[in-house]
Amino acid sequence: MRNQSVRWPAGLFAASLVALVLAACSGATHEPPPPPAGEARTLEHQGVERHYYLQNAEAAAAAPASLVVSLHGYRGLEQALAERSDLSQLSWGPLVRVARREGFVVAYPHAWLGKWSQFEGLENTTLEDGRTVDDVGFIARMIERLVDEGLVDPARVYLTGFSDGAIMSYKLLCAAGAPFAAAAPAGGSMYQRHRDNCAATVPIPLLVIAGTNDRSLPYDGWIFPTGRELSIPETMEHFRLLHGCTGQKSDLLYDRYGEDQSRVLEVVWTGCATPNAVKLLRVEGGGHNAPSFEPIPEAWREWAGTHNRDIESAEEIWAFLRQFERRPSDSRPTAREEPIEYAYEVLGPFDADKVPFISHGLRESVRRDFVGNRRSTFTLAVCQSGCAAWSWGQRWTTTREHIRNVLQQCEHNGREPCGLVAVNGELVKFEVQPTQITYPHEFVSSAVPFVSSASLRRIRSGYAAGAQHRALALNHTGRYGYATGQRSEEQARRTALARCREYSGVWGHCFLYDVNGTVVFNPAIYLYGTQSWE
């Protein structure tokens, strides 16, 4: 989003809207802390002890939470045995940081001897008595145990996996009665034998992330000794048919990091029985790795190929998965319903010359940002006195939340209600919307501006009931940080601001919203300024 009188480099601004949470919410240091410790667990299956690692179980302290099951890639025997003694090696840092922010649990099942039992006869996939390892049953029992313990909501169980973990994901999706509401494999495609013998009775929404220059599990498929790996297009066609999709659209995403010599093309299939159920992030020039804002070791890059840094895979995966849940009545995944709060009339493709009220300089800024970035998510609000705010997409928020945030920022800029003039890249008829921001004197969690509905729930449960001294800090992109039970009001203020900055990454301008139950958010605060907020 933009303030009407401030210009920022387009690259910096776009990066801020899709930035991964770079640090967990703990301490006042600006160095991102390591992922929090999890719990190494075991269960008995097929008469042997199987292992898995659980992180962010505290998300289920008040009620059962969503679960993301993350499947690791191939492990050599020596590495697999070492991991049994230290299962924390399975942790995927970016995913667990998203989990802490969004409030879901992550489970990492461990393959028997480093290799998932994708097919019969694979090396290291048999037990001592000669039986084939049953990974489908092991993962199902792990999920059942977490549900029985009250940690996990069975309607919101999701699946992701990388490389061999992606191949195993497809096998799980084709098992009868698969418990997943949606899946997001990366760096691997479906095997022909899994497709041809698929026993799934209910199609499951799918996001795939794949690099076109993957040399390990090629984008165009390969015939291995274990069987034929389908191409990514063949894999997507299988799920398109399952979901009954009738069309598709694509969007070349913003080139955040031009030096990586790769781009991400987003392909979404349309007309599906479950809306938005089939999606591909095709990494043009990408190798055998998951795109991430974070760099990877040079040795791994040389082996795996080009590493794209335009998107954060963990963010993209959760933004997709969170849309779906399973209905208890028929176990069919369905798009999660949210109330529609904004009505608008679409006039046609966006045209900056048709935006009312704004100045010539502001119009040129709007034009440049619309042309230079992802048009399909561009949303713009203006007020009748000439203020404006716009954004081209916080990818982990819903359209409704995105519209609300743009309207709130516009209203904050102009101190008057605003109206929409563009939504998701289309010109809409200007109509003043109701007031979006309130300024209560005493803290009311539902009145906190700029943050998503999921963040509001966490603020309500974690901050509102917290002990004195406490403080809550925000920034205009919806990032926040809070501190409770501090020794003094000053310490609470500084800790909340530091945590907000850690969450905000490159867009770190945070301001205090509440201190000890008193709202200190000042309508005159200049959110885009460079002054210190202490």
Side-chain angles (χ1 to χ4, degrees), residues 101-102 401 451-460 478 480:
R101 186 190 76 216
E102 297 293 327
E401 291 172 343
V451 299
S452 68
S453 57
S455 295
L456 282 177
R457 289 194 295 271
R458 290 190 294 277
I459 290 170
R460 184 180 298 115
Y480 69 95

Side-chain angles (χ1 to χ4, degrees), residues 170-293:
Y170 292 113
K171 180 175 182 178
L172 288 167
L173 296 182
C174 278
F180 305 103
S189 61
M190 197 174 200
Y191 263 63
Q192 181 174 329
R193 68 172 75 182
H194 292 154
R195 181 195 65 182
D196 294 347
N197 298 290
C198 194
T201 56
V202 175
I204 295 174
L206 182 80
L207 162 69
V208 172
I209 304 175
T212 60
N213 287 357
D214 189 327
R215 299 188 296 266
S216 297
L217 294 172
Y219 185 91
D220 293 325
W222 198 257
I223 299 176
F224 293 98
T226 52
R228 187 170 84 89
E229 176 209 11
L230 300 178
S231 68
I232 293 295
E234 287 177 295
T235 299
M236 303 310 299
E237 177 66 5
H238 172 73
F239 283 89
R240 181 195 74 80
L241 293 172
L242 286 179
H243 285 277
C245 308
T246 57
Q248 63 187 128
K249 59 183 181 179
S250 65
D251 194 2
L252 189 63
L253 303 189
Y254 179 71
D255 191 12
R256 174 183 177 271
Y257 192 80
E259 297 178 10
D260 61 21
Q261 299 180 331
S262 62
R263 294 291 299 272
V264 179
L265 180 71
E266 179 185 69
V267 183
V268 178
W269 278 257
T270 59
C272 309
T274 300
N276 304 314
V278 183
K279 178 177 176 179
L280 168 66
L281 291 176
R282 173 185 162 119
V283 186
E284 306 285 353
H288 188 64
N289 44 55
S292 176
F293 295 160

Side-chain angles (χ1 to χ4, degrees), residues 1 4 19 52 65 79 83 97 130 163 221 232 239 243 266 270 318 346 366 397 411 424 428 446 485 496 532:
M1 288 178 233
Q4 59 177 337
Y52 64 101
Q79 180 184 1
E83 284 177 341
R97 288 193 286 270
S163 191
I232 293 295
F239 283 89
H243 285 277
E266 179 185 69
T270 59
W318 178 243
V346 175
V366 169
T397 61
E411 182 179 325
N424 289 339
V428 303
S446 60
S532 169

Side-chain angles (χ1 to χ4, degrees), residues 1 341-342 381 387 389 401 403-418 432-441 444-451 474-476 511 513 519-525 527-528:
M1 288 178 233
E341 298 179 356
Y342 305 104
C387 66
E401 291 172 343
I403 289 174
R404 185 200 63 182
N405 291 348
V406 173
L407 286 168
Q408 286 181 332
Q409 186 56 53
C410 177
E411 182 179 325
H412 182 78
N413 290 341
R415 313 296 179 261
E416 64 179 273
C418 295
V432 175
Q433 298 286 337
T435 296
Q436 300 295 309
I437 303 178
T438 59
Y439 301 98
H441 176 69
V444 179
S445 59
S446 60
V448 177
F450 311 124
V451 299
L474 313 172
N475 77 11
H476 72 284
F511 57 90
Y513 179 81
V519 175
V520 297
F521 177 48
N522 184 348
I525 285 177
L527 293 185
Y528 295 91

Side-chain angles (χ1 to χ4, degrees), residues 370-382:
F370 175 71
V371 170
N373 294 285
R374 185 169 48 197
R375 304 182 185 187
S376 65
T377 60
F378 183 84
T379 297
L380 167 67
V382 301

Side-chain angles (χ1 to χ4, degrees), residues 1 43 49 89 116 157 162 240 320 387 402 415 441 500 502 507 509-510 524 530:
M1 288 178 233
L43 63 80
E49 191 176 67
Q89 296 178 57
W116 295 111
V157 176
F162 176 73
R240 181 195 74 80
F320 179 81
C387 66
H402 187 195
R415 313 296 179 261
H441 176 69
C500 178
E502 288 175 351
W507 196 258
H509 298 297
C510 293
T530 58

